[in-house]
Amino acid sequence: MTRTSTQSSSLCLIVSTSNGLSSPFVQEKHVLLEKPSTSNSSEANILFNLPELSLPNAPVLLEAFHVRFHPAVHLFLSFIDPAAVMHVHTDSMVPVFITDKGGIEFNYKLSGGSMMMLGTYNFGMLRMIFGAEPTECLECQTSIFGDGVHDRCDYRFAAKFAFPNGGVGEAMTTMRGSILWKPSEARVTMKEIVVTDKTIPEMQEKVRTRKVTLHGFMHAFVWHRIDVEDSYVIREKVKGMIVKAWVESESHKAYSYKDAGGEFGNPPGETWWMSYRYQLEEFVNRVKGRKTQYWISGDDSLNQMKMIDTAYEKSGLGLRPTSAFV
């Protein structure tokens, strides 16, 4: 892992090179590091456990997972009880004309592949929704060019993960998608719960099954919508006979924390702020020793890379290669 000293007066650096080119740590500098932070979890373990990071007044190192800082994502999560999550579907895509077969996204030596370049957003959303780390990658199907050159880089994948509460999370991505762009999506189905209702007879019970969908989690600053669908049933406790069933639906948006309201208070932010701007705000807050609304720790980034590793191992394509700079 390279440690580069510099005579520059710069206090902070933004590192936006491919994770396959370097995993830098700049001494005495605060670093905003492009995601994914490294090529595999072994590199991440070295990077986020550097001795410099545990010293008093240690420099700030943040993996630039901009999507996770947008208010829409946090409002979406507020409708979810992680312990009750039964199933999550996530998908993302880019149209075929956006990527090039000869680009870094399909260069194995530079840690290319759809899971690394795009699917990592899906993985991050799954971990946030379940509020836990996956226990196992159940399956991972991939598509490759099969031309003898790009055989270890996936351009499409579909993976399933098991989580500690018994739930299953699915992630699907393609980097060779239709020319008609489909916004990314995270769709959550929660377990049935009993809802207290003193207006119904004692021999009956009221239950609710909730589905929450965030359309556009990757580019929420451009457009997004949060749909909350609650399916209610009143039934007899003993025989289970349904007395009444109905659905209640509502939609929400949050381009700022002010839009989100409630528990989020009113931290700085405007409706026109991009997710990158919310991320930069928190980075500067941490550098200046101020309170942050949300943060991604080194352990969080390490666990993110572990999840990517398990998917690549399950797929048979193998881990992305360790950088020559380590």
Side-chain angles (χ1 to χ4, degrees):
M1 202 69 60
T2 58
R3 296 176 175 83
T4 306
S5 295
T6 175
Q7 299 302 315
S8 169
S9 60
S10 299
L11 176 66
C12 303
L13 294 176
I14 297 176
V15 179
S16 56
T17 58
S18 164
N19 53 320
L21 289 175
S22 65
S23 297
F25 182 79
V26 184
Q27 288 182 337
E28 300 179 358
K29 303 294 177 182
H30 304 294
V31 179
L32 183 59
L33 179 61
E34 172 62 6
K35 66 97 208 59
S37 55
T38 61
S39 298
N40 52 56
S41 60
S42 294
E43 286 188 3
N45 188 52
I46 296 172
L47 177 63
F48 293 103
N49 286 291
L50 287 169
E52 295 93 326
L53 297 177
S54 61
L55 296 175
N57 300 315
V60 173
L61 175 60
L62 173 65
E63 183 178 20
F65 239 114
H66 65 96
V67 167
R68 295 172 60 178
F69 288 86
H70 197 276
V73 171
H74 295 277
L75 179 60
F76 164 69
L77 293 173
S78 73
F79 295 109
I80 298 167
D81 174 7
V85 174
M86 183 170 59
H87 181 266
V88 181
H89 165 89
T90 64
D91 64 70
S92 58
M93 62 86 76
V94 292
V96 63
F97 59 83
I98 297 294
T99 61
D100 183 86
K101 193 175 180 180
I104 62 172
E105 58 267 40
F106 301 124
N107 187 325
Y108 174 73
K109 292 181 179 179
L110 296 181
S111 302
S114 65
M115 277 185 272
M116 185 68 76
M117 298 297 175
L118 195 61
T120 186
Y121 289 109
N122 301 50
F123 292 174
M125 288 299 297
L126 289 176
R127 295 176 56 244
M128 292 181 80
I129 290 166
F130 280 99
E133 308 305 330
T135 56
E136 181 185 1
C137 180
L138 300 172
E139 62 180 73
C140 185
Q141 304 296 322
T142 60
S143 297
I144 60 174
F145 291 109
D147 57 2
V149 177
H150 304 89
D151 292 355
R152 300 191 69 180
C153 282
D154 49 301
Y155 65 81
R156 181 186 297 114
F157 83 92
K160 290 184 180 181
F161 297 89
F163 283 83
N165 70 343
V168 173
E170 297 189 45
M172 301 173 62
T173 283
T174 179
M175 298 183 71
R176 307 287 286 177
S178 164
I179 60 173
L180 298 176
W181 175 63
K182 176 191 178 299
S184 52
E185 181 178 315
R187 185 170 65 249
V188 180
T189 302
M190 297 170 63
K191 299 174 183 176
E192 180 183 273
I193 63 169
V194 176
V195 179
T196 301
D197 189 338
K198 296 182 179 180
T199 66
I200 62 176
E202 189 175 339
M203 69 283 295
Q204 296 177 355
E205 64 179 359
K206 180 179 179 180
V207 296
R208 183 192 74 193
T209 302
R210 170 168 286 186
K211 292 183 180 180
V212 188
T213 304
L214 172 55
H215 305 275
F217 66 80
M218 279 186 59
H219 301 97
F221 60 89
V222 176
W223 175 86
H224 69 270
R225 191 181 74 233
I226 302 167
D227 294 332
V228 182
E229 180 184 286
D230 289 332
S231 298
Y232 289 96
V233 171
I234 295 177
R235 66 192 178 200
E236 295 183 0
K237 292 181 179 179
V238 178
K239 295 183 178 180
M241 184 179 296
I242 296 176
V243 177
K244 182 180 179 181
W246 72 99
V247 176
E248 296 180 4
S249 301
E250 57 185 26
S251 296
H252 305 265
K253 293 186 178 183
Y255 289 95
S256 69
Y257 281 109
K258 184 178 180 180
D259 288 347
E263 65 186 86
F264 300 101
N266 190 24
E270 302 292 342
T271 56
W272 48 267
W273 277 19
M274 301 173 72
S275 49
Y276 305 98
R277 179 64 175 82
Y278 282 104
Q279 172 186 264
L280 186 60
E281 183 79 12
E282 299 292 50
F283 179 68
V284 173
N285 283 340
R286 185 60 63 99
V287 168
K288 290 184 174 292
R290 299 191 295 240
K291 181 181 178 181
T292 52
Q293 181 85 357
Y294 177 71
W295 191 252
I296 298 175
S297 68
D299 286 342
D300 191 327
S301 293
L302 174 56
N303 287 329
Q304 176 76 9
M305 290 310 305
K306 287 180 178 179
M307 187 174 184
I308 294 174
D309 280 1
T310 61
Y312 269 118
E313 288 176 326
K314 194 70 173 182
S315 74
L317 295 178
L319 302 183
R320 304 299 88 179
T322 297
S323 169
F325 293 90
V326 174

